[in-house]
């Protein structure tokens, strides 16, 4: 059988770091409130010359270098983003062009914070169906461009950044002990679409709009949805949470991460946390966390890794893989 194995990962962050204290001069908030309620201490904010495409390109180049590959080796790009450079064409084709690729195909995927998890499963399906062999999966966002900077309930939560992963199809005996993507579980439920959304769009207001969120409502659903989908992915993979080496959750709120891990019975030392450094970077959050844990040597070849995310839509999902 064909398995999609991870060949490399890479990340990119805007130059500017914005600490919580800076928000005290913009809105009625405090560093203490932000840290206590979310765990966030800082986030990166894109400058004018830094876009979803430029950050995505930088993360892609880092992943290619990590894998020892060049753009010539890639035949598909899928970019998870809710903040594309333009409504169309897909920002993925801009990244394709920036990488000097005139072959293969590229498209965007829009599942908000779950985008990277959705994109990994799409890449895996394309690989296993034979449509692609080596896929560049990118999560890249510039949420700073769609924030209402006068709304303290949202502007303190999000940040910009990008992460990328290269998946390659290889012949495999297909055992639990073999490398690659083992199982996945995806969900969405549009009846929750007004709890986290952007109040604009081409077909409605002809504007880009600003992010709006009923934070408490999202919070209320998050832990249950995350643990359901994680348990489903684990069951499909034929393992339990105790077998995991690493839990790499979506980085929206440290309290959600802690509560989910506790409910799943995953000890703190197996949970990768970067929310204090990046804030919520939506589709970029899981690959940014993965990139950090690979770079510092925590995640190693052979480890069992569980990725999960939950966000606007609502959408939610989990991917189980052997690194
Ligand atoms: O990535 C997609 C998924 N998104 C998420 O997972 C986000 C989920 N939601 C959350 O993380 C949390 O709900 C928040 C961090 C957004 C808010 O935390 P909370 O503990 O749910 O607070 P809350 O919304 O219940 O607000 C508590 C109080 C309110 O004041 P009152 O009504 O008690 O007087 C808010 O107005 O905190 C107030 N507040 C703030 N105070 C200082 C809200 N934002 C701020 C702020 N600074 N930035």
């Amino acid at each position: 059988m064909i398995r999609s194995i991870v060949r490399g990962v890479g990340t990119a962050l805007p130059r500017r770091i914005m600490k919580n204290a800076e928000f005290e001069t913009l809105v009625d908030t405090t560093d203490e409130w932000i840290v206590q309620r979310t765990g966030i201490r800082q986030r990166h904010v894109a400058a004018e010359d830094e876009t979803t495409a430029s950050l995505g390109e930088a993360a892609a180049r880092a992943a290619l270098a990590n894998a020892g590959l060049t753009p010539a080796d890639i035949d598909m790009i899928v970019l998870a983003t809710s903040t594309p450079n333009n409504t169309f064409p897909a920002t993925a084709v801009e990244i394709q062009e920036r990488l000097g690729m005139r072959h293969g195909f590229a498209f965007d995927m829009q599942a908000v914070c779950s985008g990277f998890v959705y994109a990994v499963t799409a890449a895996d399906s394309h690989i296993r169906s034979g449509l692609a062999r080596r896929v560049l999966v990118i999560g890249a966002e510039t949420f700073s461009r769609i924030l209402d900077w006068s709304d303290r309930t949202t502007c303190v939560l999000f940040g910009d950044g990008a992460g990328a992963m290269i998946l390659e199809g290889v012949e495999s005996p297909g055992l639990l002990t073999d490398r690659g993507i083992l199982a996945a579980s995806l969900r969405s439920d549009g009846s929750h679409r007004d709890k986290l959304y952007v109040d604009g769009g081409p077909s409605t207001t002809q504007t880009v709009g600003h992010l709006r969120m009923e934070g408490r409502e999202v919070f209320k659903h998050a832990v249950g949805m995350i643990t359901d989908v994680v348990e489903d992915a684990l069951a499909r993979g034929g393992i339990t949470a105790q077998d995991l080496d690493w839990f790499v959750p979506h980085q929206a709120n440290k309290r959600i991460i802690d509560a989910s891990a506790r409910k799943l019975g995953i000890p703190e030392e197996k949970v990768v946390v970067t929310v204090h450094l990046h804030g919520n970077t939506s589709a970029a959050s899981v690959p940014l966390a993965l990139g950090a844990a690979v770079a510092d040597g925590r995640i190693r070849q052979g480890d069992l890794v569980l990725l999960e995310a939950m966000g606007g839509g609502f959408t939610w999902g989990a991917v189980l893989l052997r690194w």
Side-chain angles (χ1 to χ4, degrees), residues 155-231:
C155 72
V156 303
L157 303 174
F158 294 89
D160 302 334
M165 173 194 270
I166 295 166
L167 287 173
E168 177 177 309
V170 296
E171 274 295 338
S172 167
L175 303 174
L176 181 61
T177 46
D178 294 317
R179 294 183 67 196
I181 294 179
L182 304 174
S185 181
L186 298 180
R187 285 297 321 277
S188 68
D189 180 352
S191 68
H192 296 290
R193 68 189 182 282
D194 59 350
K195 296 185 179 80
L196 173 49
Y197 66 104
V198 168
D199 63 3
S203 189
T204 50
T205 59
Q206 298 83 55
T207 63
V208 171
H210 291 106
L211 182 148
R212 307 289 171 206
M213 176 166 74
E214 290 177 42
R216 214 174 307 185
E217 280 298 307
V218 181
F219 197 108
K220 218 168 71 185
H221 289 87
V223 178
M225 288 178 163
I226 288 165
T227 51
D228 278 356
V229 87
V230 167
E231 278 166 358

Side-chain angles (χ1 to χ4, degrees), residues 18 23 26-27 45 143-145 147-151 155 210:
M18 186 172 178
F23 284 96
L26 294 175
V27 289
V45 177
F143 262 49
S144 62
R145 305 262 158 76
L147 292 176
D148 174 350
W149 285 87
S150 66
D151 175 11
C155 72
H210 291 106

Side-chain angles (χ1 to χ4, degrees), residues 66-193:
N66 182 244
L69 297 171
T70 71
D73 300 314
I74 301 297
D75 47 23
M76 166 178 153
I77 300 173
V78 52
L79 169 69
T81 190
S82 301
T83 45
N85 276 35
N86 298 85
T87 303
F88 78 80
T91 302
V93 300
E94 186 171 339
I95 294 174
Q96 179 188 25
E97 197 269 335
R98 282 167 172 263
L99 293 173
M101 286 172 60
R102 301 291 294 274
H103 63 279
F105 61 103
F107 62 95
D108 287 1
M109 174 155 276
Q110 214 275 54
V112 204
C113 297
S114 310
F116 188 76
V117 167
Y118 271 57
V120 166
T121 62
D124 179 43
S125 300
H126 279 76
I127 287 170
R128 285 189 293 111
S129 74
L131 266 171
R133 173 143 184 266
R134 286 203 199 93
V135 182
L136 189 48
V137 188
I138 309 170
E141 302 278 19
T142 44
F143 262 49
S144 62
R145 305 262 158 76
I146 56 164
L147 292 176
D148 174 350
W149 285 87
S150 66
D151 175 11
R152 69 174 184 173
T153 69
T154 53
C155 72
V156 303
L157 303 174
F158 294 89
D160 302 334
M165 173 194 270
I166 295 166
L167 287 173
E168 177 177 309
V170 296
E171 274 295 338
S172 167
L175 303 174
L176 181 61
T177 46
D178 294 317
R179 294 183 67 196
I181 294 179
L182 304 174
S185 181
L186 298 180
R187 285 297 321 277
S188 68
D189 180 352
S191 68
H192 296 290
R193 68 189 182 282

Side-chain angles (χ1 to χ4, degrees), residues 28-30 33-34 37-38 113 152-153 156-158 196 213 215-216 218-219 222 250 252-253 255-256 280 310-312:
D28 181 15
T29 193
T30 59
W33 188 95
I34 302 169
R37 300 286 177 135
T38 71
C113 297
R152 69 174 184 173
T153 69
V156 303
L157 303 174
F158 294 89
L196 173 49
M213 176 166 74
R216 214 174 307 185
V218 181
F219 197 108
H250 174 47
N253 186 320
R255 288 154 58 210
I256 297 175
N280 181 349
M310 181 267 177

